[in-house]
Structure formats: structure tokens, C-alpha cells
Amino acid sequence: MEKISLLIRVIGSICLVGGMSLGGILTADRFRGRLEELNGISRVFLMLRGEVEYHGLVLPEAIRSVGMRMDGGLKELLMGIAEKMEDGSGLPFGVIWRKALKQYFAYSYLNKEDQKLLLTMGNHLGYQDKRMQTSSIDLFLEEWKAEIEHSRRRLPGQCRIASCLGIVSGLLLAVIMI
């Protein structure tokens, strides 16, 4: 009976260490996903700027054009915004932007600061002429690129800490459990 009890504790400890380690690895993956998403959004705004400035497209057409070249969640976001702008509902761009982004944030890796910056961008697009829109995009991209660089510098350390913390906390709880 004592051997079975010890065996159950050992198996439980192994499961605990494995689960905590996996949690650390998934957290590290979330940090990597955020950086990829930041880069994807930067690409979206660079393309959007080009569509507005060089091709002379109005905002709904520019968003649709960029959306067709993207994939995954960003494609869905942009295509949804373009459809809503073109459906004749008469909703202001800022309202459409906020609603679409709030749905997008539900499955996004972006943190609260990233989300806030993206949400405020909706206040600067849609109501201005081509020159003002490109200037707004340029200002946004400057802030966004700074966040990308900050995230890129911190990423290796954050991933290492998350992975190690998962393993160490699992081991600590396993020792306490046995």
C-alpha cells in the first residue's frame, strides 16, 4: 500500500512538472506570437500607406486591397472592416474600427498597450485627406516600430524566464508534494 502511494505521488509529480513546464513553454510562445503579430500589423500599415499614397485608393478600397494580401486573423480583420465600410450602413470609420478590433483582440497576442495604440489609430484615419492619412500612418508606425524593437530586445530574456520559471515551479511543487 505504501509503494502504491509513493508511485502515485511520483506519477503526480511527473505530471505536475510536465504541466508546469508546458505552461512556461506556452507563455514563451505567447511572447513570440506577440512579436510576430506586431510585425504583421506593421506590414499592414506600410501597405495601407502605399495604397493610399501611391495608388490613390480611398480607405475602404485600400483596406480591402491590403486584406487580400494578408492571411489569418489580419485578413479577416481587414476584410471585415472593408465590408462594413462599403455596406452602406453609414457608420463612422472610428466605430467600425473599434468594433472590429475588439473582436480581433479576443484571439490576439497583443497586450493592453498595443491594443490601446491600435484603437486610437481609428480616430486618425477615415476623416482626412490623403496627405493627413499618410502622416497619421507614419506617426503610428514610428510608435509601433519602437514597440517592436523594445519587444525584440526583451524577447530572448522573457522566453528564457518563462520556460525556466515553469520548470522550476513544477519541480518545487513536486518536491513539496513528495
Side-chain angles (χ1 to χ4, degrees), residues 33-46 48 59 63 73-74 77-78 81 93-127 136-137 139-145 147-148:
R34 177 177 174 261
L35 183 59
E36 288 175 20
E37 196 168 350
L38 290 173
N39 284 319
I41 291 169
S42 178
R43 205 169 45 253
V44 163
F45 278 96
L46 285 170
L48 189 60
L59 199 57
I63 290 173
L74 288 174
L77 170 69
L78 294 171
I81 290 171
F93 176 74
V95 172
I96 296 170
W97 181 258
R98 277 190 299 278
K99 282 183 179 180
L101 280 177
K102 290 194 187 238
Q103 291 174 346
Y104 173 76
F105 292 154
Y107 56 89
S108 165
Y109 290 117
L110 299 176
N111 64 28
K112 295 293 183 196
E113 292 81 28
D114 303 335
Q115 293 175 8
K116 183 178 176 186
L117 185 58
L118 262 179
L119 284 169
T120 59
M121 188 58 189
N123 298 331
H124 304 292
L125 289 176
Y127 304 107
S136 294
I137 292 172
L139 287 172
F140 170 80
L141 282 171
E142 281 183 40
E143 284 184 67
W144 201 255
K145 285 179 182 178
E147 189 57 39
I148 289 172

